[in-house]
Amino acid sequence: MKNFSDLYLALDQTNKTNEKVEAIVKYFQTADAADAAWAIYFLSGRKPRQIIKTAKLREWAAEISEVPDWLFEVSYDAVGDLAETIALLLPDTNAEGSNLPLAFWVENRTMPLREMTEDDQREAVVQAWNELDANERFIWNKLVTGSFRVGVSQSLVVRALAQVSGIEKEIIAHRLMGTWSPNTDFYLNLLEASAEDADLSRPFPFHLAHQLDFPLEELGEISDWQAEWKWDGIRAQLIRRGGESFLWSRGEDLVSERFPEITEASFSLPDGTVLDGEILPWKDSKVLPFAQLQRRIGRKTIGKKLLEEVPVVLLCYDLLELGGEDFRQKELQIRRAELIKILEKLPGEAQKTLQFSPVVKAASWEELTKIRDESRSRKVEGFMLKRLASPFRVGRPRGDWWKWKIEPLTVDAVMIYARGTGKRASLYTDYTFAVWNNGELVPFAKAYSGLTDKEIRRVDRFVRDNTIETFGPVRSVKAKLVFELGFEGIQKSSRHKSGVAVRFPRILRWRDDKKIEDADTLDAIHRMLEAEN
Amino acid sequence: MRLIKPTERGLYVEPGDFYIDPWLPVERAVLTHAHADHTYRGSKNYLVSKEGERLFRTRLWNEGNIETASYGETKKLNGVKVSLHPAGHVLGSAQVRVEYKGEVWVASGDYKLTYDPTCAAFEPVKCHAFITEATFGLPIYRWTKPEILFEEVNEWWRGNVEKGKATVIFAYSLGKAQRIMKSVDASIGKIFTHGAVERLTRDYREMGVELPPTRYVGEVENRKDFAGSLIIAPPSAQDTPWTRRFGAHSTGFASGWMRIRGARRRRAVDRGIILSDHADWDELLTAINATEAEQIWVTHGSIETVVKYLKSIGKEARPLETKFVGDAPEAEISDEKEPDNHNLQ
């Protein structure tokens, strides 16, 4: 228990990713398999449901601490967390902590409580408290009240386990999927070196593109090129191999469980198929705003209601593997033709979820440029231009594939808040911007990128010299600086004071030639919104 | 008889016509300790402890008529007997005992019972009425034993040395900073100080407190010297450009508030060090009992809670409103703004 509580403390004490991974690695290097299995169970956000009623726990804690109820209440108010309040109030009995293993604590000292009578429960709880130190009590209290949570992402756990075992991240991620029981066998299998399952799940590296930074005509004949809309969703690879399906996001997260409709549709794909595409929120033959997709990203379990409100599709771009054969070196036009054949053979329901991204035909670059003006109303970011003869490459090579994005919408706005990032940097780098509304500045967007290091230092100086008030890491500053902000899309929002939410806001440049009176108005932004939709 | 009562200038002893820790200028002031919320400049006459004289002079810019009394020595002010007794809070901190016509009152100032190698230990003084602080007046506040706490700090510092990092601890520059440098294992690495800390550390040394060698950060030319060292700075230095010079470093904040996880997270440091110069819950009750006082007056902190609790165990307790902040959660006693001790030369 001691090692696990030390791990919890270490994770709780730092916001730095590397230190978190380091702490997890340190734990697993020495942990017994049974303990390690439980640790993974907890670290990956799983938890047993509540075992003991909080009211009971509270009552017993107050009795043992000899604290009257009202004083317990006052203490709870000051701490804000019941498990912690109890841990802090209980008399110190064992400052050394418990050397019994985590698995023992969970399986023998925690789970059995569920079946006990109240009197036996009380006795067992008190006994547990006597054996644990303050931090362990806190963790254990959280366990029995079903509220244990560790602030790490699954991908950090995967990274650490990969580091400990020398097994690829993809394999670990795959093996952690679905339902499993936290026991010795599970952990030994997880770190099993034989990688029969590895080849099944492994995605290909993605082929990415640069923004076109020269005149279109220099690409040559338009007939050598394929133009597709550049969709704004999550780039993904759908793998169907050995009777199993895997959906990987470009961030190399296994997201199969987040998008059950895609996984289900994939069951109809022939074995040995890999598709490249974009996950998009899609309803009534139309793409929904990205914000809708975000509602589905953040969650572990997707409710029925959300599935109905925000259905997703995989809009397929490319075919990377067919019949188990690596197709990446074949020409795009050949891959594309096979892709369409496969998708057309799917049953009706699956066809609705696995669609192909349409190709836009134009006789000349001029005509294509004109069509590009429809981008905003189609809720896309412009075009992807791909050479018909191109293979599917690795990384972000120049030459064959280009992003040809539309110019962002722009607004001149005034900086009113600044926030520091990263303790080491201790620079003010995140800003909130406002526009005019009836003579008042209303906040409308936050942005943190787009300035040079030198400019950031100048703004940092400005923030320190012009602070009005400090709220924790945030400072309100005198309205003096004007910046040109760019963003990709704009939407109505009841959650924002300004009534609008913008997508991908960033600083295009510092307008030190402008006064705050020259900044845009909320009206102008609302007009943009109307024009957009 | 209310021998000590609150007024708009501070705690007033009417028959003796003097104030204890007044926050506005008065004719005569008796001071409990040299923290900024207890030692205000501008009064004419001061009575302070001999044991903390140097610190009081620094704080008062050496202005006014400063008289000293050793712990236990009785002075008479307009027929009222006044004596100072160790409070265990910081060097020279005192409880003020006031006696008039057989009635004895004690104002504790700030105090703690936990061992502190940089100052005299708290001595209970029997009295009729005891004015106690209540900064950490909740049973959730219970301090870790110093030997365990500092072993953890040492371990953290050693770990940082191994990683080639500096260790930065934010702590009040008067008292806690010196307590830390005296209590850590100084063989682990060099100790550097922020300007505010260095000045008061000098005062501590001049008052005869032995401390490990320290160097003022500003004198260091080669930034590489900071790797593996311990740097002690006031809380106000956190998240300022001042800390950039240390390169890779790990941060800690030393305060009783660090006992609570939420407070640790809000502080956004790598380590919350639960170290306070105030009494915890058990110490408050122990100290109060030891005075055998019939009346307990509770000032700053969890006043209501402590009063209610004392009443529930059969004591006569009442709140007393003052302007002392104690160790207010986000209070920053801004000592780095004072000029150097130029008046002292």
Side-chain angles (χ1 to χ4, degrees):
Chain A
M1 190 70 170
K2 183 96 201 105
N3 294 343
F4 185 68
S5 103
D6 285 347
L7 169 64
Y8 179 87
L9 265 188
L11 294 173
D12 201 42
Q13 278 171 345
T14 181
N15 294 321
K16 292 168 197 144
T17 309
N18 284 338
E19 288 181 6
K20 288 195 179 197
V21 173
E22 202 181 299
I24 302 174
V25 167
K26 196 176 143 207
Y27 177 83
F28 285 110
Q29 273 168 346
T30 55
D32 164 84
D35 285 358
W38 277 109
I40 294 169
Y41 181 85
F42 294 127
L43 290 176
S44 59
R46 292 164 167 91
K47 59 189 174 198
R49 67 195 154 79
Q50 182 167 22
I51 294 169
I52 291 188
K53 289 199 185 96
T54 49
K56 285 290 152 208
L57 212 57
R58 192 172 172 146
E59 186 187 312
W60 301 333
E63 280 169 26
I64 291 170
S65 318
E66 296 175 16
V67 165
D69 286 347
W70 69 266
L71 190 52
F72 188 95
E73 281 304 309
V74 177
S75 299
Y76 182 23
D77 273 355
V79 176
D81 181 283
L82 185 70
E84 188 185 354
T85 309
I86 293 175
L88 294 177
L89 284 177
L90 292 169
D92 299 320
T93 45
N94 185 4
E96 296 295 302
S98 168
N99 285 320
L100 294 172
L102 172 66
F104 180 81
W105 270 101
V106 178
E107 291 165 14
N108 298 56
R109 303 293 299 273
T110 310
M111 295 307 184
L113 292 172
R114 218 191 279 282
E115 312 302 331
M116 289 182 186
T117 63
E118 199 180 301
D119 287 346
D120 290 348
Q121 273 187 347
R122 187 185 189 282
E123 200 179 322
V125 166
V126 174
Q127 182 57 33
W129 283 338
N130 280 336
E131 291 173 41
L132 299 170
D133 74 12
N135 288 320
E136 294 167 346
R137 281 171 182 167
F138 169 64
I139 291 170
W140 192 73
N141 290 344
K142 286 262 170 203
L143 286 182
V144 295
T145 52
S147 56
F148 187 64
R149 206 189 141 267
V150 192
V152 294
S153 69
Q154 171 103 359
S155 62
L156 287 195
V157 180
V158 169
R159 234 172 88 184
L161 287 167
Q163 212 173 309
V164 171
S165 62
I167 294 170
E168 285 171 61
K169 279 190 291 186
E170 289 77 10
I171 304 171
I172 299 275
H174 169 215
R175 289 174 179 173
L176 284 179
M177 273 177 52
T179 46
W180 42 265
S181 299
N183 53 39
T184 305
D185 282 351
F186 159 75
Y187 186 67
L188 295 179
N189 286 335
L190 180 71
L191 302 191
E192 175 67 48
S194 104
E196 281 164 28
D197 56 344
D199 295 333
L200 280 188
S201 66
R202 190 179 299 125
F204 294 111
F206 284 83
H207 184 173
L208 307 170
H210 281 283
Q211 168 73 12
L212 188 69
D213 48 9
F214 51 85
L216 204 48
E217 290 70 25
E218 289 176 23
L219 291 175
E221 293 298 317
I222 193 170
S223 54
D224 290 340
W225 291 82
Q226 166 184 306
E228 289 166 88
W229 296 114
K230 186 175 182 324
W231 299 94
D232 182 15
I234 300 169
R235 182 85 180 275
Q237 238 175 79
L238 179 61
I239 296 172
R240 181 73 187 163
R241 288 182 190 135
E244 285 193 77
S245 294
F246 310 93
L247 183 64
W248 292 91
S249 73
R250 185 159 84 68
E252 300 194 350
D253 281 325
L254 201 44
V255 292
S256 317
E257 287 159 339
R258 308 254 168 116
F259 302 105
E261 53 269 72
I262 297 178
T263 304
E264 201 182 309
S266 73
F267 297 157
S268 309
L269 288 170
D271 220 59
T273 306
V274 178
L275 306 177
D276 170 36
E278 191 99 7
I279 301 170
L280 290 169
W282 196 270
K283 206 172 187 181
D284 304 327
S285 318
K286 270 194 300 201
V287 66
L288 299 172
F290 186 81
Q292 295 296 316
L293 188 58
Q294 268 169 334
R295 294 174 58 198
R296 294 207 32 183
I297 299 171
R299 303 181 197 208
K300 271 245 151 76
T301 52
I302 312 291
K304 220 177 180 180
K305 184 157 168 274
L306 194 57
L307 273 175
E308 273 167 27
E309 280 174 18
V310 191
V312 297
V313 300
L314 183 73
L315 215 59
C316 302
Y317 297 136
D318 217 323
L319 177 70
L320 312 186
E321 183 177 312
L322 180 64
E325 184 194 344
D326 186 345
F327 251 49
R328 292 177 298 159
Q329 293 313 312
K330 298 188 189 299
E331 291 189 1
L332 170 64
Q333 46 194 340
I334 294 168
R335 301 198 305 270
R336 176 89 194 175
E338 293 296 329
L339 171 69
I340 291 172
K341 268 195 236 163
I342 289 178
L343 296 179
E344 281 178 342
K345 267 188 239 156
L346 291 174
E349 271 308 306
Q351 257 190 51
K352 277 187 204 156
T353 306
L354 303 180
Q355 308 183 13
F356 52 86
S357 113
V359 164
V360 180
K361 298 279 181 207
S364 65
W365 291 123
E366 237 176 16
E367 191 188 340
L368 193 67
T369 309
K370 238 177 236 157
I371 303 174
R372 196 175 71 134
D373 291 341
E374 297 169 19
S375 296
R376 253 183 240 292
S377 59
R378 287 174 174 272
K379 294 201 175 70
V380 296
E381 298 176 304
F383 281 128
M384 276 303 302
L385 304 175
K386 297 175 183 170
R387 199 185 293 277
L388 285 170
S390 63
F392 189 90
R393 297 178 191 270
V394 170
R396 207 184 285 274
R398 290 175 69 89
D400 282 342
W401 288 20
W402 297 99
K403 289 191 274 196
W404 187 32
K405 289 166 77 167
I406 44 174
E407 297 300 323
L409 296 162
T410 66
V411 157
D412 289 335
V414 183
M415 181 171 95
I416 55 167
Y417 296 109
R419 185 190 180 93
T421 42
K423 271 168 288 163
R424 211 170 319 152
S426 52
L427 277 174
Y428 285 89
T429 52
D430 293 15
Y431 316 120
T432 301
F433 297 95
V435 290
W436 291 105
N437 186 33
N438 298 326
E440 250 187 277
L441 283 168
V442 285
F444 106 104
K446 285 183 189 161
Y448 57 89
S449 67
L451 291 179
T452 63
D453 286 353
K454 206 175 152 199
E455 283 173 324
I456 289 173
R457 281 196 296 274
R458 272 176 65 203
V459 176
D460 180 67
R461 192 69 256 156
F462 169 85
V463 170
R464 292 172 198 282
D465 293 343
N466 291 276
T467 300
I468 302 171
E469 268 187 282
T470 305
F471 321 88
V474 180
R475 292 180 182 216
S476 62
V477 296
K478 289 181 193 147
K480 278 188 182 171
L481 304 187
V482 179
F483 293 84
E484 184 178 317
L485 303 186
F487 43 92
E488 293 306 322
I490 184 165
Q491 257 203 289
K492 263 194 194 151
S493 164
S494 53
R495 282 191 305 138
H496 294 79
K497 224 187 208 171
S498 59
V500 294
V502 293
R503 171 134 169 80
F504 275 149
R506 68 239 185 224
I507 302 167
L508 295 182
R509 56 194 168 128
W510 186 345
R511 296 299 303 257
D512 36 13
D513 55 323
K514 290 206 171 187
K515 295 208 168 89
I516 59 165
E517 293 77 28
D518 305 328
D520 277 303
T521 63
L522 195 55
D523 273 350
I525 292 167
H526 280 283
R527 280 198 298 277
M528 265 180 210
L529 176 71
E530 278 159 37
E532 276 281 279
N533 300 306
Chain B
M1 179 177 48
R2 282 192 68 177
L3 198 47
I4 302 178
K5 53 188 161 194
T7 68
E8 57 185 15
R9 300 191 162 263
L11 293 175
Y12 184 50
V13 181
E14 200 177 336
D17 190 23
F18 63 89
Y19 290 81
I20 299 170
D21 294 350
W23 44 82
L24 291 172
V26 297
E27 182 67 26
R28 181 171 291 280
V30 178
L31 302 184
T32 61
H33 65 282
H35 273 148
D37 60 328
H38 291 259
T39 294
Y40 286 87
R41 287 181 298 122
S43 292
K44 269 197 187 154
N45 299 288
Y46 291 98
L47 177 65
V48 302
S49 74
K50 182 82 192 140
E51 290 74 4
E53 179 178 357
R54 183 81 195 185
L55 299 170
F56 288 107
R57 289 191 184 274
T58 296
R59 283 287 187 202
L60 296 170
W61 300 8
N62 211 20
E63 289 169 4
N65 173 32
I66 302 169
E67 193 190 339
T68 63
S70 296
Y71 287 139
E73 179 186 348
T74 304
K75 297 261 174 184
K76 266 205 168 176
L77 298 174
N78 299 319
V80 173
K81 282 188 195 166
V82 182
S83 55
L84 302 173
H85 305 267
H89 179 56
V90 296
L91 181 62
S93 65
Q95 309 172 69
V96 180
R97 180 185 185 275
V98 178
E99 182 180 344
Y100 181 66
K101 290 188 179 166
E103 176 94 0
V104 178
W105 281 51
V106 171
S108 72
D110 292 336
Y111 65 92
K112 70 171 178 289
L113 274 55
T114 313
Y115 172 70
D116 180 340
T118 63
C119 66
F122 177 90
E123 272 176 22
V125 180
K126 294 213 178 6
C127 55
H128 298 104
F130 183 58
I131 302 176
T132 180
E133 62 140 322
T135 308
F136 291 102
L138 281 173
I140 47 175
Y141 293 108
R142 275 206 320 267
W143 308 147
T144 314
K145 290 200 182 74
E147 60 271 26
I148 295 175
L149 182 80
F150 282 106
E151 196 35 57
E152 283 169 12
V153 172
N154 289 336
E155 206 178 297
W156 168 54
W157 183 11
R158 279 189 208 106
N160 291 334
V161 172
E162 272 168 35
K163 291 175 196 152
K165 284 183 178 182
T167 300
V168 182
I169 297 180
F170 301 105
Y172 285 164
S173 46
L174 196 170
K176 210 175 289 178
Q178 293 75 27
R179 187 178 169 196
I180 290 169
M181 56 183 79
K182 176 102 185 168
S183 303
V184 293
D185 178 356
S187 70
I188 297 172
K190 290 180 195 152
I191 303 176
F192 293 100
T193 51
H194 182 276
V197 174
E198 182 58 27
R199 195 176 59 244
L200 291 158
T201 303
R202 219 186 293 151
D203 289 347
Y204 262 68
R205 289 201 180 98
E206 283 173 24
M207 296 295 300
V209 179
E210 268 185 50
L211 295 170
T214 57
R215 253 183 99 192
Y216 169 47
V217 162
E219 290 170 1
V220 177
E221 275 165 22
N222 189 350
R223 295 181 171 202
K224 284 188 184 137
D225 286 356
F226 291 123
S229 71
L230 172 66
I231 296 132
I232 304 178
S236 52
Q238 193 189 339
D239 289 332
T240 65
W242 183 82
T243 59
R244 285 182 211 165
R245 68 189 77 191
F246 305 125
H249 63 269
S250 185
T251 54
F253 183 67
S255 160
W257 303 109
M258 295 298 104
R259 171 103 165 139
I260 309 296
R261 181 167 170 261
R264 286 198 297 271
R265 295 179 68 89
R266 277 196 295 282
R267 259 291 152 182
V269 287
D270 300 317
R271 279 299 169 110
I273 302 167
I274 308 166
L275 183 71
S276 179
D277 287 327
H278 293 267
D280 69 6
W281 175 257
D282 294 340
E283 293 174 28
L284 283 175
L285 299 178
T286 306
I288 289 168
N289 277 327
T291 63
E292 294 174 20
E294 295 146 14
Q295 269 179 44
I296 313 296
W297 296 84
V298 184
T299 72
H300 62 289
S302 307
I303 300 175
E304 267 181 69
T305 307
V306 173
V307 167
K308 188 168 172 186
Y309 184 77
L310 290 174
K311 281 184 177 166
S312 80
I313 57 171
K315 295 215 181 280
E316 190 188 327
R318 270 175 277 183
L320 186 72
E321 294 300 332
T322 62
K323 287 195 180 172
F324 307 132
V325 294
D327 190 358
E330 301 302 327
E332 306 218 327
I333 299 173
S334 54
D335 25 33
E336 72 272 32
K337 281 190 183 137
E338 288 175 20
D340 225 331
N341 17 356
H342 50 87
N343 282 359
L344 285 175
Q345 310 312 322

